[in-house]
Amino acid sequence: MAETTEAPVENNPYTKPAYRTYVLMVLTLVYSFNFIDRQLISILQESIKAELLLSDTQLGLLTGFAFALFYVSAGVPIARWADRGNRRNIISLAVGVWSFMTAISGACMNYTQLLLARIGVGVGEAGGSPPAHSMISDIFPPESRATAMSTYSLGINIGIMFGFFLGGILNEVLGWRWAFVLVGAPGILLAIWIRMTVAEPLRGWSEQAAVEETSVPLKDVVKRIYANLALRNLFFASALNSLVGYGLVNWTAPFYIRSHGMGTAELGIWLAIGAGIFGGVGTFLAGYYADKLGKIDRRWYLLLPGIAVLAMVPFCVAFLLAENTTAALSINLIPSLLSTCYIGPCLALTHGMVEPRMRATASALYFLVINIIGLGLGPTLIGALSDYLAPELGSESLRYAMLYIIPATAAWASLHFFIGSKHLRDK
């Protein structure tokens, strides 16, 4: 079976640390655009609901299940393509598609049209992270991979920050339709920039490993993950953690608007600070310290996320029950700090336990699980429970729907992180 060999140094730009850093920054920017376009709708949904006369269940489907279903359905075949094709080109194409679909969301005149546009965003975004994760693992060695993955994952926090900030202001100044257009259009230029300035890295280069040219069958990747108890618990814990995170991201803005009477411009600033600054610090430090402590004991790659998500529980209860608006906003900064701590360590551990030709597929399977459960079920479940409680609780139904679901799910997620860490002892 043929194997790849390392290219001559003069033909490999990744031998230069500055270029590796540049590519990581570009990929982080891509992920930021991914989440700006994905989460923009969360702060616009009250305006969309009023104009299109939607229920909370419809909003939950729009922001959750419908997006997640097509995101994960497209994710695995695109990842298979990335494990044997040019990952740089796939990312460039994906950015262009999801940015275009975000922009045309502003022209939608009814729920069906907006649902189809969101499906288009989901299909486009499916081509972003699995190829990027695979590239990062080929650029950065195992001992610094969690830090690199966490740096890339800062795109979540940056994207949510600008989504809330820009969406909140643009919604009040120009309306929700122009918010979609003005936020989506710049991504098309980013797609061109990626194609022109980023090189495709050699597979296995960071580990100086020869990599087979033939791709690994999907069933072999699934078997590899399922047979590993640490990875099995990692996947399920991440999915539950994701349900908590997406439940908060998609419904926190409507909660403050309904229960605290806030406007989107002021609220957007608060949520941007929480997701962008506090969330970014938590995401990066979790990866950094996982690499530091993981050199001593690999279990820290799962213990740190487990501790973080468990620590969220009392703060989630407190901000949802707080009657004072400033107190509720301030307390919510702690869940923002902790909610994405799992991503960098879990991705690094997953890529360290599979072969290079499996990595994009492993990432796609990881996102399939966490997005079906987290993004697909989380917002939809909370929206449906809010509708169910509405006849009795009125505008407060969303507060209690979140209270019943989020803290308990966070505690459940921590349990599986801790169980998974026990199976890393001998690995």
Side-chain angles (χ1 to χ4, degrees):
M1 189 172 294
E3 297 181 340
T4 62
T5 56
E6 188 177 354
V9 170
E10 63 270 17
N11 295 329
N12 184 2
Y14 289 100
T15 58
K16 301 175 182 178
Y19 188 76
R20 295 198 295 271
T21 300
Y22 167 75
V23 171
L24 180 60
M25 293 302 101
V26 171
L27 293 176
T28 302
L29 181 62
V30 168
Y31 207 28
S32 300
F33 272 69
N34 182 302
F35 265 82
I36 291 174
D37 292 355
R38 185 187 308 189
Q39 297 301 329
L40 175 66
I41 194 171
S42 65
I43 199 164
L44 303 178
Q45 60 186 327
E46 287 298 290
S47 298
I48 295 170
K49 178 181 180 179
E51 182 174 332
L52 300 184
L53 303 176
L54 307 181
S55 68
D56 279 351
T57 301
Q58 286 177 304
L59 286 175
L61 288 169
L62 194 65
T63 60
F65 186 75
F67 177 93
L69 178 63
F70 285 86
Y71 179 88
V72 299
S73 297
V76 173
I78 292 174
R80 300 297 295 159
W81 179 18
D83 271 334
R84 61 179 181 270
N86 188 299
R87 294 161 289 182
R88 183 272 315 275
N89 292 349
I90 294 171
I91 293 170
S92 176
L93 176 62
V95 175
V97 170
W98 87 57
S99 299
F100 174 75
M101 297 305 296
T102 298
I104 67 169
S105 297
C108 295
M109 301 306 297
N110 55 53
Y111 180 73
T112 301
Q113 292 176 357
L114 189 55
L115 184 65
L116 291 173
R118 293 298 295 170
I119 289 171
V121 173
V123 172
E125 292 191 355
S129 283
H133 292 160
S134 179
M135 289 177 67
I136 291 168
S137 288
D138 285 336
I139 297 170
F140 294 94
E143 61 269 18
S144 62
R145 195 170 287 156
T147 303
M149 288 292 189
S150 291
T151 301
Y152 171 78
S153 298
L154 287 175
I156 297 174
N157 308 105
I158 296 169
I160 295 173
M161 176 177 69
F162 280 99
F164 280 138
F165 181 72
L166 294 175
I169 293 175
L170 290 173
N171 181 52
E172 290 200 358
V173 176
L174 298 174
W176 65 269
R177 296 183 180 279
W178 275 107
F180 277 124
V181 174
L182 295 176
V183 169
I188 298 172
L189 298 177
L190 177 60
I192 298 170
W193 182 259
I194 295 163
R195 183 65 180 80
M196 293 174 60
T197 68
V198 174
E200 172 73 2
L202 295 166
R203 295 185 194 271
W205 178 79
S206 67
E207 294 151 313
Q208 298 299 299
V211 180
E212 296 178 349
E213 291 183 351
T214 55
S215 60
V216 180
L218 175 61
K219 62 182 178 60
D220 290 351
V221 185
V222 174
K223 287 180 180 178
R224 176 72 167 267
I225 293 169
Y226 187 77
N228 188 308
L229 289 174
L231 285 179
R232 198 189 308 175
N233 278 278
L234 179 157
F235 272 51
F236 191 57
S238 296
L240 294 171
N241 202 150
S242 177
L243 191 153
V244 172
Y246 280 117
L248 289 172
V249 166
N250 286 342
W251 287 113
T252 296
F255 160 69
Y256 282 116
I257 292 169
R258 298 180 197 181
S259 295
H260 293 274
M262 296 188 70
T264 58
E266 179 190 5
L267 177 58
I269 294 172
W270 270 96
L271 296 181
I273 292 171
I277 298 175
F278 281 77
V281 168
T283 299
F284 178 78
L285 289 181
Y288 177 80
Y289 281 107
D291 276 335
K292 292 290 186 183
L293 296 172
K295 293 176 183 177
I296 303 170
D297 189 334
R298 289 185 76 193
R299 287 177 293 176
W300 280 107
Y301 282 97
L302 292 181
L303 289 174
L304 274 178
I307 293 168
V309 69
L310 184 61
M312 286 176 58
V313 172
F315 294 98
C316 287
V317 173
F319 98 80
L320 287 168
L321 292 179
E323 294 297 332
N324 180 273
T325 300
T326 302
L329 289 165
S330 300
I331 295 169
N332 189 38
L333 295 175
I334 303 303
S336 297
L337 176 76
L338 300 172
S339 62
T340 53
C341 285
Y342 71 102
I343 298 175
C346 289
L347 285 171
L349 186 62
T350 299
H351 280 220
M353 299 177 80
V354 300
E355 302 301 320
R357 284 280 181 187
M358 296 181 176
R359 285 171 178 164
T361 301
S363 282
L365 292 171
Y366 179 78
F367 278 115
L368 185 151
V369 173
I370 71 171
N371 282 298
I372 284 292
I373 296 177
L375 180 56
L377 184 60
T380 304
L381 184 62
I382 291 172
L385 183 56
S386 176
D387 282 339
Y388 176 78
L389 296 173
E392 179 182 353
L393 299 176
S395 62
E396 291 296 288
S397 65
L398 181 57
R399 181 198 298 265
Y400 287 95
M402 295 174 71
L403 185 63
Y404 294 156
I405 292 171
I406 288 174
T409 306
W412 189 8
S414 70
L415 177 64
H416 284 280
F417 279 127
F418 294 141
I419 293 172
S421 71
K422 293 182 179 180
H423 295 288
L424 284 176
R425 182 179 290 109
D426 298 324
K427 296 186 181 301

